[in-house]
Amino acid sequence: MHFCTLCLILWTTVASVSCIFFGADKTINELCFCKLQGKVDDCNCTIDAVDYFNNKKAYPRISSLVLKDYFRFYKVNLKAKCPFWTDDSRCAMRYCNVKPCRQSDLPPVYKGFANGGDVSYTLSKNLASDDCEQDTNAELSFLNTTLSASIMEDFAAWKAYDDAQDYYCQLPDVDDEAEYVDLTLNPERFTGYKGKSAHRIWNSIYMENCFRPKNSYGAYIRSSKLNGMCLEKRVFYRVVSGLHASINLHLCANYLLSERESYGIISDTGRWGKNFKEFERRFSPAMTDGEGPQWLRNLYFVYSLELRALEKAAPYLEQEKYYTGREKEDNETVAAVNDFLRVVKTFPEHFNESAMFQGGDSAKKLKADFKSHFRNISRIMDCVGCDKCKLWGKLQIQGLGTALKILFADHVDFESEAQKGQFSTFRLRRSEIVALFNSIARLSSSIYELDQFGLTMR
């Protein structure tokens, strides 16, 4: 019987009995890692409250909202060079990379338009063979950059509108190589990106950018050591760990399965769905030295943090026009955003950012370090060797960065500024809003998928 299946069956019948198959000293509460309980660390909310709120109220709304044109298209530079090391393999599987080429070079299945011209994308042949899987399929991580000419005309109108709104914050990917990508054509799922290149990304994030307690040597900080750190440093680690857990959950929930599997979504190249063994490998206590459940708890923390950012910035976001040039679509988007924000405000126990960075010069320095470390993580995303992974990594990091920008904008009284009808000291660019909503959508999806893993394995 499947490990977690056994745990969940026992959970519903004899929740206080020890699981004798895995040692008499281990209770079911310790073993059933897919059934989390109690408070979210460093937050007043509970796991059960988040589950109910997200799965019943937030997830259905945000998952449909991000399909709107305003949120579908994200401008990103996937060609920027890694600023930290030069031996990046650029790939951890066959067909992982993409590069521009002439239409005549493309196989018929991949022909289309990119950027409204005659340039499209094909698969890179310059792969690092020592890191690549030889039996994978091109469809696994092919980045679909197909955009119609009419969509490109819309982008020109959107840019003119944005310029008229006096957006003054520089986007992280505004340069000649930044391009619009349709997120609905490039879903976040397993690509096969793994090995030395992928591990180097996360090791660099954890080892070189997360604040660390003394005598902590591994990439991940053990949960028992976190309480010895100040709140601000714990928060930084939890948001990184929670985002990492969210990404891993997406990969486990959208994994290329063998044809023998009886669940998942059938595609042209195979069967996609939940990979329970991969889920256990990444999160079970036995495979993670007991830390997997804590990583899942950190997912709830970063979700709560971003939810609070949306609540705080609601007066600003409710005044946004969500302009795409299609009046009917824009009106529907405004209504959908306002409905989602109305629901967000009903969540009873939001994260309390006011407890952070209190004090004198030391608090100011810590806040500057906090911002600098996070900015450094955003630069590490240019070192990701899989374009599809880079796309979603950049988007979710920018979304989280936007949430932090909102939370720690101490000089802004959002309610007062909204009443005046104009925000004179705070502004979000289009890409920040797109990233913020897509980021919370990804976290919402992860919590929903975690619940589905538990239900399916009963």
Side-chain angles (χ1 to χ4, degrees):
M1 182 178 292
H2 196 282
F3 169 73
C4 205
T5 306
L6 174 61
C7 286
L8 284 170
I9 292 174
L10 291 173
W11 177 275
T12 59
T13 54
V14 283
S16 62
V17 179
S18 293
C19 195
I20 60 174
F21 295 102
F22 302 97
D25 60 332
K26 294 290 185 179
T27 65
I28 293 170
N29 202 32
E30 293 172 305
L31 288 166
C32 297
F33 64 94
C34 32
K35 178 64 177 177
L36 303 177
Q37 287 188 318
K39 285 185 61 177
V40 177
D41 298 299
D42 287 320
C43 189
N44 291 328
C45 56
T46 65
I47 297 289
D48 286 344
V50 173
D51 277 335
Y52 177 81
F53 172 81
N54 180 73
N55 298 343
K56 300 296 185 182
K57 298 181 179 181
Y59 175 71
R61 287 174 169 85
I62 190 63
S63 58
S64 62
L65 178 59
V66 292
L67 298 179
K68 296 291 187 182
D69 283 354
Y70 185 93
F71 298 106
R72 278 176 55 196
F73 300 103
Y74 181 62
K75 193 173 186 181
V76 61
N77 177 14
L78 298 176
K79 301 175 184 176
K81 293 182 179 180
C82 174
F84 300 110
W85 52 80
T86 58
D87 59 340
D88 181 31
S89 66
R90 302 298 305 154
C91 153
M93 65 165 290
R94 195 177 184 188
Y95 302 131
C96 190
N97 199 14
V98 297
K99 67 176 183 179
C101 71
R102 296 172 300 180
Q103 283 271 353
S104 58
D105 292 337
L106 290 174
V109 68
Y110 293 133
K111 285 187 176 179
F113 293 95
N115 299 326
D118 61 354
V119 178
S120 191
Y121 284 77
T122 189
L123 307 173
S124 173
K125 298 178 181 178
N126 300 320
L127 306 177
S129 58
D130 56 332
D131 282 341
C132 294
E133 299 290 339
Q134 300 301 315
D135 58 350
T136 54
N137 191 288
E139 179 64 19
L140 281 176
S141 67
F142 175 74
L143 191 66
N144 189 329
T145 59
T146 302
L147 296 174
S148 68
S150 62
I151 288 175
M152 295 309 300
E153 292 175 1
D154 290 337
F155 288 153
W158 297 0
K159 183 179 185 301
Y161 179 85
D162 286 348
D163 291 343
Q165 304 309 304
D166 190 29
Y167 284 81
Y168 56 84
C169 294
Q170 184 178 358
L171 289 169
D173 295 300
V174 174
D175 54 48
D176 292 339
E177 293 185 309
E179 302 166 307
Y180 282 101
V181 175
D182 187 338
L183 298 173
T184 64
L185 298 180
N186 298 280
E188 184 183 24
R189 61 185 183 183
F190 172 75
T191 65
Y193 181 54
K194 58 184 179 180
K196 293 182 292 184
S197 177
H199 287 301
R200 188 174 193 175
I201 298 296
W202 285 111
N203 283 342
S204 180
I205 289 173
Y206 282 109
M207 297 295 291
E208 300 171 20
N209 294 281
C210 286
F211 301 93
R212 307 186 65 80
K214 294 181 179 179
N215 302 319
S216 179
Y217 305 105
Y220 311 118
I221 301 173
R222 295 194 65 84
S223 54
S224 60
K225 291 183 175 292
L226 282 177
N227 289 333
M229 301 169 64
C230 67
L231 173 62
E232 292 81 2
K233 295 179 179 181
R234 292 200 307 270
V235 166
F236 193 97
Y237 179 78
R238 292 197 199 283
V239 297
V240 171
S241 174
L243 177 60
H244 192 185
S246 177
I247 292 171
N248 282 339
L249 263 168
H250 298 153
L251 305 187
C252 295
N254 294 279
Y255 207 94
L256 181 64
L257 306 168
S258 71
E259 292 295 335
R260 293 192 298 272
E261 300 286 354
S262 59
Y263 42 75
I265 301 173
I266 298 176
S267 73
D268 294 338
T269 58
R271 196 182 298 270
W272 294 81
K274 292 177 174 58
N275 187 322
F276 298 105
K277 291 183 178 179
E278 187 68 14
F279 177 68
E280 273 192 40
R281 186 183 74 80
R282 292 178 184 265
F283 294 111
S284 73
M287 302 295 289
T288 61
D289 196 22
E291 291 297 309
Q294 183 60 47
W295 299 341
L296 292 173
R297 298 182 77 86
N298 290 338
L299 161 64
Y300 283 78
F301 175 82
V302 69
Y303 176 82
S304 300
L305 181 143
E306 289 201 12
L307 209 63
R308 165 57 183 154
L310 285 169
E311 182 204 32
K312 185 175 183 179
Y316 179 96
L317 296 169
E318 287 166 345
Q319 293 190 359
E320 181 66 32
K321 302 301 183 183
Y322 301 97
Y323 178 82
T324 67
R326 298 184 179 92
E327 185 176 358
K328 182 175 183 295
E329 166 92 1
D330 294 350
N331 291 336
E332 291 175 353
T333 301
V334 169
V337 168
N338 289 341
D339 176 61
F340 177 64
L341 293 175
R342 176 188 58 79
V343 170
V344 168
K345 294 174 187 177
T346 67
F347 189 67
E349 299 288 351
H350 283 284
F351 173 74
N352 179 18
E353 76 283 359
S354 64
M356 297 178 62
F357 304 117
Q358 297 299 309
D361 292 340
S362 60
K364 291 180 181 179
K365 182 182 184 304
L366 181 57
K367 188 173 184 179
D369 290 342
F370 193 100
K371 183 183 296 184
S372 175
H373 285 209
F374 194 83
R375 186 182 297 118
N376 209 45
I377 291 176
S378 69
R379 298 176 67 203
I380 292 176
M381 292 299 103
D382 283 326
C383 301
V384 176
C386 163
D387 279 345
K388 190 170 287 186
C389 304
K390 180 187 292 186
L391 165 66
W392 285 100
K394 278 178 168 283
L395 183 145
Q396 290 174 88
I397 287 293
Q398 188 184 5
L400 181 52
T402 303
L404 296 175
K405 171 182 173 179
I406 293 168
L407 290 176
F408 304 128
D410 299 328
H411 61 286
V412 182
D413 185 336
F414 285 88
E415 291 288 351
S416 176
E417 297 266 312
Q419 290 175 4
K420 291 187 297 184
Q422 183 178 2
F423 282 78
S424 57
T425 60
F426 182 85
R427 191 169 295 275
L428 292 176
R429 299 294 293 256
R430 179 186 295 263
S431 69
E432 291 177 300
I433 297 174
V434 171
L436 176 63
F437 277 84
N438 274 282
S439 178
I440 194 70
R442 293 283 77 208
L443 296 172
S444 176
S445 174
S446 293
I447 291 175
Y448 177 81
E449 290 292 355
L450 180 59
D451 182 65
Q452 294 302 299
F453 268 108
L455 291 174
T456 308
M457 291 189 290
R458 288 184 180 181

